[in-house]
Amino acid sequence: MSRRLPGFRFRAQQLEMAQAVAQAIAARRPLVAEAGTGTGKTFAYLVPALLYGGKVIVSTGTKTLQDQLFERDLPTIREALAVPITVALLKGRANYVCHHHLERTAREERLPSRADARYLPKIVAFARASERGDRAELGDVPDNASIWPLVTSTRDNCLGSNCAFHRECFVMKARKDALDADVVVVNHHLFFADITLRDEGLAELLPACNTVILDEAHQLPDTATLFFGEQTSAAQLGELARDAEAIARTQLKDVPDLADTGAELGPLVKKVRLAAGDAPGKFSQQMMAARKEFTDALEALAAGLDRLATEMRLVAERSEDVGVIARRAEEAADAVARWQGGLTGGDSAQPWIRWVDVSTQGWQLHASPLSVADVFRRQVEATGRAWIFTSATLAVGRDFAHYTSQLGLADAATGCWDSPFDYSTQGLLYVPRGLPAPNSVDHTHAVVDAALPVLQASGGRAFLLFTTLRALNVARERLAIAFEREGLAFPVLVQGDGSKTELLLRFRALGNAILLGSASFWEGVDVPGDALSVVVIDKLPFAPPDDPLLAARLAKLTSDGGNAFMDWQLPQAAISLKQGAGRLIRTETDRGVLMLCDPRLIDKPYGRRIWQSLPKMKRTRELVDVVAFFARS
């Protein structure tokens, strides 16, 4: 690699990690590997995997890393090693135009907006000319355009081998390429769809592979919980209602009242949201059962689904589309009934928690296993292949126990390689004095006030990261007032004012901007260079204790004799904090200040355990040191 790549730098950590990966692949065993920022972990796992041979699946948590692997890292390593491998990028089916749904949408002209009417002919022309049908290749239609769900397929509404366009299907072509390739790049959602056999079309992919590499593996416990559980959403049922009504009005005009049965479902879905109350949040099934209006609304919805399923079943043989609607209605009715009755899904030996996630516009019924450790461990042990789990944030200090316990990986080999960056000279950890308690009503105002002189010293160039959207909005107002008072004119970008990609492009281009973000900016964001020199984090990212699934897990830990705070909440917060802090230093020449505004880091005994998990920066509580740090720049 060093001979073939200009600018290649030897890093002992990278070589050691590569050797550990090679040993795990040869022994066909799991390895949990934490590699600090700058280690070059993609090369460290790709080189031994490609040299060993056999089919390799690489799964990522973000599209950014997926594209980096497919477009840059894999071609580079393939050329340097001169290995004749084929590579495929496989995305979820919603990324590919569906010929059947495109043709049906064009025929029925059921478009949500005038903009969609302009986009439709562009998509039709694209589908005729494209080899891959990947909607990312069509830049003329925005990614969030409301027409996309009408011209792509889902697992629910795909006709499969019965589709008239089966031979031309872009999804099937992509899957064939993946089956034939030596290396397949996917994301975690697609990977878990495969191992849970949610999508039978993917079932052939995993058994054929020799090595599974899961990068950004800190996301896996949450993703596994999602896929080993069950979800029914307002959006899913609203789409079913629209499809059922459209088919009844076009293909089944001769069936009395059938269109009305589909049309009635939409209002029933909305009534469930109204009955859930004004406040968004996550609520246990027991809590929602106390709201009679909610249980009544859910019962009415279940009856509406049963009615639609029964009527559609009577005419299911009329066309493939009608048959699919009948099946979707039956599955939805069964899912709601299971949630209502508290029936156990999947692994019956594992306790399940039922809860409702209520958002501003919609809702989701969730049934989640209390733990995915047993079922995931069986997946790993039954395959006889190497599993590589890697991320910059898997351990607390060098202790992997919290992570491995969540996925049943107690017997896995582990390795921890520090970043090659010189954090002692490149970074400064600043915890201001005199900040109020993080649960104080004045805390967010105090964070902004304390950050103001830091932003002046740095010339902007900052991320302000918040643990809640409410705090973010309070900070936005406070910052605007402070800037007007102090006569400051740094550009301010705020999460929600544009797409994440758009905001980051503007942030990099401006060079002196301040970006206010919440959860989505804590990870998977890479801004190397001078554009980002300060990361302010408002408080330690402890998960909200009112989350029903978390509350049940903590209760189980306590009943088993464990310490819920020390064994779960603290390590989880430390790992999340490492993700946010990791936005700051991205290259060997970056310099910056990490400002943590939670006095518990200093005041509480557990604070030491948290900051010792962070990169080894110099620490200060004095603003004068921060100003001097930037003066030296």
Side-chain angles (χ1 to χ4, degrees):
M1 298 294 290
S2 62
R3 286 195 301 271
R4 299 294 293 269
L5 292 181
F8 180 88
R9 294 190 181 186
F10 173 77
R11 293 169 180 167
Q13 299 94 327
Q14 187 181 51
L15 179 58
E16 290 171 12
M17 179 179 167
Q19 290 168 334
V21 171
Q23 291 167 6
I25 293 174
R28 294 181 175 266
R29 70 182 187 196
L31 169 69
V32 180
E34 179 176 282
T37 306
T39 303
K41 66 179 184 301
T42 60
F43 280 26
Y45 61 65
L46 287 176
V47 169
L50 268 56
L51 288 175
Y52 190 85
K55 194 177 188 76
V56 179
I57 295 177
V58 185
S59 181
T60 75
T62 61
K63 185 179 183 298
T64 302
L65 181 56
Q66 195 177 25
D67 291 342
Q68 174 191 318
L69 286 165
F70 183 70
E71 295 169 7
R72 193 176 73 202
D73 293 354
L74 276 162
T76 299
I77 293 173
R78 176 172 56 188
E79 181 181 347
L81 299 181
V83 287
I85 62 161
T86 54
V87 180
L89 175 63
L90 184 59
K91 300 181 179 181
R93 61 166 67 246
N95 291 278
Y96 303 96
V97 174
C98 170
H99 292 293
H100 170 75
H101 289 287
L102 176 60
E103 188 267 344
R104 197 178 101 188
T105 299
R107 184 179 69 246
E108 296 175 357
E109 297 183 349
R110 52 190 190 105
L111 299 172
S113 69
R114 289 182 179 177
D116 291 329
R118 294 196 306 272
Y119 298 145
L120 181 59
K122 294 181 180 181
I123 298 174
V124 170
F126 169 73
R128 288 174 181 156
S130 174
E131 286 289 318
R132 298 170 57 194
D134 185 343
R135 61 191 251 190
E137 298 171 357
L138 182 56
D140 290 347
V141 181
D143 194 51
N144 60 353
S146 52
I147 193 173
W148 282 122
L150 302 179
V151 297
T152 56
S153 69
T154 65
R155 184 182 67 89
D156 289 334
N157 65 23
C158 175
L159 301 183
S161 58
N162 295 321
C163 180
F165 298 95
H166 186 67
R167 286 180 178 275
E168 303 100 294
C169 178
F170 291 125
V171 172
M172 296 307 298
K173 285 181 181 177
R175 289 177 175 174
K176 183 180 184 304
D177 289 344
L179 289 171
D180 293 340
D182 300 304
V183 180
V184 185
V185 181
V186 299
N187 64 31
H188 294 335
H189 283 253
L190 198 58
F191 178 79
F192 275 97
D194 182 12
I195 67 172
T196 57
L197 300 184
R198 287 290 182 86
D199 195 331
E200 289 75 7
L202 281 176
E204 300 168 272
L205 184 59
L206 190 62
C209 82
N210 178 75
T211 303
V212 174
I213 300 169
L214 298 147
D215 202 339
E216 298 176 314
H218 58 278
Q219 298 181 8
L220 292 181
D222 288 341
T223 309
T225 299
L226 179 72
F227 275 88
F228 288 122
E230 293 183 356
Q231 302 83 38
T232 303
S233 70
Q236 171 192 345
L237 298 184
E239 186 177 292
L240 170 62
R242 288 190 297 274
D243 289 349
E245 183 183 4
I247 281 180
R249 294 197 188 283
T250 54
Q251 298 185 29
L252 303 167
K253 295 178 182 177
D254 58 319
V255 183
D257 302 327
L258 186 55
D260 294 339
T261 304
E264 289 165 2
L265 195 59
L268 293 174
V269 172
K270 291 176 181 175
K271 282 182 181 177
V272 173
R273 174 61 190 90
L274 291 172
D278 296 332
K282 297 177 180 179
F283 308 98
S284 68
Q285 186 181 38
Q286 292 84 352
M287 187 181 299
M288 297 307 286
R291 297 179 65 96
K292 186 175 186 304
E293 60 269 37
F294 179 81
T295 56
D296 288 348
L298 196 60
E299 188 61 47
L301 174 62
L305 287 167
D306 282 334
R307 191 159 54 248
L308 179 63
T310 300
E311 295 186 19
M312 281 292 182
R313 199 183 304 121
L314 295 174
V315 290
E317 76 288 345
R318 295 276 286 269
S319 77
E320 294 294 342
D321 280 328
V322 178
V324 167
I325 292 290
R327 175 179 56 77
R328 289 168 63 189
E330 287 179 10
E331 290 177 355
D334 289 345
V336 171
R338 279 194 301 274
W339 194 90
Q340 286 177 298
L343 302 176
T344 300
D347 185 358
S348 59
Q350 180 61 240
W352 281 50
I353 305 302
R354 281 166 175 75
W355 49 286
V356 189
D357 189 352
V358 180
S359 63
T360 307
Q361 300 295 329
W363 51 266
Q364 285 186 320
L365 303 180
H366 287 265
S368 306
L370 193 59
S371 168
V372 297
D374 290 341
V375 64
F376 189 76
R377 186 187 70 248
R378 288 199 295 271
Q379 291 285 345
V380 172
E381 291 176 348
T383 55
R385 65 175 63 93
W387 293 69
I388 312 299
F389 303 83
T390 186
S391 169
T393 54
L394 295 177
V396 180
R398 291 179 176 271
D399 183 1
F400 289 90
H402 177 66
Y403 182 78
T404 55
S405 67
Q406 290 182 83
L407 293 178
L409 300 173
D411 297 330
T414 60
C416 191
W417 293 276
D418 293 333
S419 168
F421 298 159
D422 184 3
Y423 283 101
S424 63
T425 59
Q426 289 180 250
L428 182 68
L429 173 59
Y430 172 45
V431 181
R433 296 183 185 276
L435 290 177
N439 60 353
S440 161
V441 293
D442 300 324
H443 181 260
T444 302
H445 286 173
V447 168
V448 173
D449 294 346
L452 204 60
V454 177
L455 299 176
Q456 289 174 297
S458 66
R461 305 185 297 144
F463 276 7
L464 273 60
L465 302 180
F466 298 89
T467 51
T468 66
L469 289 173
R470 187 190 64 79
L472 186 154
N473 290 325
V474 170
R476 178 184 200 166
E477 295 175 5
R478 182 76 168 190
L479 200 62
I481 293 169
F483 275 20
E484 186 174 351
R485 183 182 69 237
E486 302 292 334
L488 299 175
F490 299 124
V492 177
L493 309 175
V494 183
Q495 177 180 325
D497 287 354
S499 71
K500 182 177 176 180
T501 301
E502 177 190 345
L503 289 174
L504 287 172
L505 284 172
R506 291 174 60 197
F507 183 86
R508 294 185 186 102
L510 287 164
N512 67 337
I514 296 167
L515 187 149
L516 278 63
S518 187
S520 63
F521 284 89
W522 282 63
E523 61 177 278
V525 172
D526 189 22
V527 185
D530 293 337
L532 178 60
S533 294
V534 177
V535 170
V536 180
I537 294 178
D538 70 332
K539 61 180 73 171
L540 298 177
F542 288 108
D546 57 351
D547 182 317
L549 186 56
L550 174 62
R553 285 173 170 166
L554 298 182
K556 179 72 165 58
L557 248 176
T558 303
S559 69
D560 290 345
N563 184 313
F565 180 77
M566 296 300 291
D567 296 343
W568 188 283
Q569 291 171 285
L570 184 64
Q572 196 74 36
I575 289 171
S576 297
L577 184 64
K578 282 169 71 175
Q579 276 293 330
R583 300 314 99 211
L584 183 63
I585 306 294
R586 306 300 296 175
T587 73
E588 291 167 329
T589 57
D590 285 0
R591 298 179 79 253
V593 169
L594 173 63
M595 178 176 171
L596 302 181
C597 301
D598 194 325
R600 291 175 293 185
L601 272 170
I602 307 298
D603 300 343
K604 299 294 184 182
Y606 60 76
R608 179 182 179 86
R609 185 178 172 193
I610 290 181
W611 60 250
Q612 283 185 332
S613 293
L614 296 171
K616 302 298 184 282
M617 301 178 183
K618 289 180 179 176
R619 300 187 300 276
T620 186
R621 304 206 68 192
E622 308 302 333
L623 177 62
V624 65
D625 293 332
V626 176
V627 174
F629 178 89
F630 284 115
R632 289 195 298 274
S633 300

